[in-house]
Amino acid sequence: MADLYGEIVVIGAGPAGLSAALAAAQSGKSVLLLDDNPHPGGQIWRAGPAVELPVLARRYRQAVAAQKNIRWLHGCKVVALCGTRRLLYEDAQHCGVIEYRRLILCCGARELLLPFPGWTLPGVTGAGGLQAQIKQGLDVRGQRVAIAGSGPLLLAVADTVRRSGGRVVLLAEQAPLRRTARFVGELWRWPGKLRQSVRLVNARYRGDSRVLAAHGESRLDSIEVQEHGRVRRLACDRLACGYGLVPNIELALLLGCRIEQQAVAVNAQQQSSVAHIYAAGECTGVGGSELALAEGAIAGYAASGAPTPMRALRVREHWQRFATAVTTTFRLDPSLKSLATAQTVLCRCEDVMLGQVAGQADWRSAKLASRCGMGACQGKVCATAARYLFDWPLPPPRAPLTPARIETLLCCMARESDV
Ligand SMILES: Cc1cc2nc3c(=O)[nH]c(=O)nc-3n(C[C@H](O)[C@H](O)[C@H](O)COP(=O)(O)OP(=O)(O)OC[C@H]3O[C@@H](n4cnc5c(N)ncnc54)[C@H](O)[C@@H]3O)c2cc1C
């Protein structure tokens, strides 16, 4: 067992967490920054053999490494609470308790995967999921890749596929073209994004389109696509399909933080409803890396008791407007709720069909009636999809947040009996 202490503990080392740790460290207080990935950077700056990190990402990583009072723990995840201001963690070898005075949650977001017939076939992944796999070294050279779902991430994924030697055969966006065109027309307010959108233009882009089904015997060989009401079949080797992002709020829920609109609620200082807990980045609402960096800095200064620089507040406001524009443009069409049939798998870990839980009142009753959510992902995929499909309320939080070793859970019990 290895117990740890940080005056300020930051969970998550994506843009928000890196920025929060750096700002908090200016106070001279001890900062502990931990993330379950092997390298800092979160989703957008995910390191891997096939990645050349952007200059900004390298700058943040170097700045954090150079700061003597920041301790960086990689491959380390928080799995539960273990008393007041104490978190239970584990890494590949160790487990223990982390004590803190102030906590900054920078847990990011994950993809919303909506079930449709064939979505569990090998060759079908999330959109960001495929991107993460390519960054880790997946070879897509010469493969025909269809990308579908919603949001600007689809364009970034198409670009990654193209630069990795894959052939993008379709980019199906569910939002209507007139809405995305209006969004592009507003991009002059964020010149960097305008340049990015020009760079990412893709001839295979189709608005008002969605994948109805994926087909194949033992792996994907084709998809059925609906474009402006017309249905066609398209041969492909991979389908990357994601319907935007949902904030990771499970740890915040365990800690008793108030949740609003499915995200951690914070005030102007990024302080949550629990006074010593702050939150920043996409766990407080999806808005992109620029907003995450600004919010992280504000949270870091506030948690360390320092005044917030006016510039950070202005930058946050600028990118909040962008986040609102993205949310409005890419809001999901309610008809997506009927993509799956009663025979479509909802919980892929435990093979539970949608029809097995469709009549239930909430996630808890669904779990009592079936094995859904009891597999390796602990409902991260299926509970999130079910919440969207059935408008169920947020389920009460449950520990451990991810599967953990028995030794880790015993470690917490031993600690609690010491107190
Ligand atoms: C799969 C995926 C791919 C994406 N790719 C792109 C892209 O290419 N381009 C782009 O512009 N945007 C991309 N995004 C959007 C991107 O997430 C944000 O713009 C940005 O990274 C948000 O920063 P953040 O710091 O809020 O969260 P993140 O970058 O998501 O960082 C959060 C970090 O917290 C860690 N974490 C969470 N809970 C725990 C815990 N309990 N214990 C330990 N660690 C924890 C996570 O592993 C993660 O590393 C992607 C999103 C996803 C989900």
Side-chain angles (χ1 to χ4, degrees):
M1 275 192 261
D3 288 353
L4 301 163
Y5 174 76
E7 251 175 287
I8 299 170
V9 170
V10 183
I11 314 292
L18 292 171
S19 175
L22 277 175
Q26 307 304 308
S27 64
K29 294 181 171 148
S30 66
V31 177
L32 208 148
L33 170 64
L34 72 88
D35 193 292
D36 49 5
N37 283 308
H39 303 284
Q43 297 290 1
I44 183 168
W45 296 334
R46 181 183 286 276
V51 181
E52 200 190 323
L53 284 176
V55 176
L56 189 62
R58 292 205 299 271
R59 217 181 281 155
Y60 269 92
R61 284 172 68 154
Q62 283 158 7
V64 164
Q67 200 70 42
K68 294 275 183 294
N69 54 333
I70 299 181
R71 180 167 178 192
W72 154 240
L73 297 176
H74 55 86
C76 175
K77 59 184 180 182
V78 170
V79 296
L81 312 187
C82 189
T84 310
R85 299 197 193 198
R86 287 149 62 97
L87 303 169
L88 180 66
Y89 81 92
E90 74 171 24
D91 62 19
Q93 278 97 37
H94 310 103
C95 58
V97 170
I98 300 173
E99 273 194 63
Y100 61 88
R101 286 179 58 76
R102 299 268 186 281
L103 182 65
I104 309 180
L105 300 175
C106 299
C107 302
R110 60 177 178 271
E111 277 192 283
L112 173 63
L113 305 179
L114 294 181
F116 55 88
W119 75 290
T120 55
L121 270 175
V124 183
T125 58
L130 178 65
Q131 195 183 38
Q133 286 184 18
I134 294 175
K135 287 180 180 178
Q136 297 300 316
L138 178 77
D139 188 359
V140 293
R141 278 176 300 175
Q143 295 187 3
R144 297 160 301 174
V145 183
I147 297 164
S150 197
L153 180 58
L154 302 187
L155 287 166
V157 178
D159 187 53
T160 304
V161 168
R162 189 184 51 77
R163 284 193 286 135
S164 311
R167 196 149 60 82
V168 177
V169 291
L170 173 72
L171 209 167
E173 164 62 60
Q174 61 86 38
L177 211 48
R178 68 184 144 68
R179 235 198 280 151
T180 46
R182 202 181 312 136
F183 173 68
V184 173
E186 291 289 306
L187 281 182
W188 58 268
R189 295 170 197 273
W190 304 278
K193 292 290 173 192
L194 181 60
R195 280 193 296 278
Q196 202 179 16
S197 74
V198 171
R199 186 173 60 78
L200 296 181
V201 163
N202 191 299
R204 302 285 173 179
Y205 189 94
R206 301 286 179 272
D208 206 2
S209 301
R210 67 203 49 182
V211 171
L212 300 178
H215 300 286
E217 278 300 312
S218 55
R219 81 166 273 122
L220 176 77
D221 61 29
S222 62
I223 54 174
E224 227 171 291
V225 195
Q226 181 181 307
E227 286 175 15
H228 309 290
R230 272 192 21 246
V231 178
R232 67 173 172 129
R233 190 115 168 195
L234 179 70
C236 58
D237 305 303
R238 288 188 183 277
L239 167 63
C241 187
Y243 286 93
L245 306 178
V246 284
N248 287 325
I249 53 172
E250 289 71 16
L251 180 54
L253 276 168
L254 270 187
L255 289 157
C257 301
R258 197 174 69 247
I259 304 296
E260 271 171 19
Q261 295 175 347
Q262 319 273 342
V264 185
V266 289
N267 65 14
Q269 300 303 308
Q270 299 293 138
Q271 187 179 32
S272 78
S273 60
V274 179
H276 61 276
I277 302 177
Y278 296 75
E282 295 202 317
C283 61
T284 65
V286 173
S289 59
E290 296 85 354
L291 182 58
L293 285 170
E295 290 177 350
I298 294 167
Y301 287 120
S304 63
T308 310
M310 281 307 288
R311 190 176 174 279
L313 296 173
R314 277 199 301 273
V315 172
R316 180 179 62 183
E317 205 183 312
H318 179 70
W319 290 108
Q320 273 171 342
R321 282 197 289 272
F322 177 72
T324 305
V326 171
T327 309
T328 312
T329 304
F330 298 101
R331 64 179 181 274
L332 297 185
D333 189 307
S335 65
L336 294 168
K337 294 187 182 193
S338 51
L339 285 179
T341 69
Q343 284 74 43
T344 306
V345 172
L346 169 67
C347 170
R348 61 193 308 166
C349 303
E350 295 290 327
D351 269 341
V352 179
M353 310 292 161
L354 191 75
Q356 287 173 263
V357 302
Q360 301 298 333
D362 54 26
W363 179 242
R364 189 171 171 277
S365 333
K367 283 179 82 170
L368 288 172
S370 72
R371 284 198 52 78
C372 65
M374 299 190 199
C377 92
Q378 288 289 289
K380 282 210 170 56
V381 175
C382 55
T384 312
R387 213 162 73 214
Y388 173 75
L389 294 175
F390 304 123
D391 297 315
W392 283 343
L394 275 178
R398 273 178 66 100
L401 295 166
T402 55
R405 295 191 297 271
I406 295 286
E407 174 206 3
T408 306
L409 304 177
L410 289 174
C411 152
C412 182
M413 287 167 74
R415 282 287 178 272
E416 280 177 330
S417 61
D418 289 349
V419 177

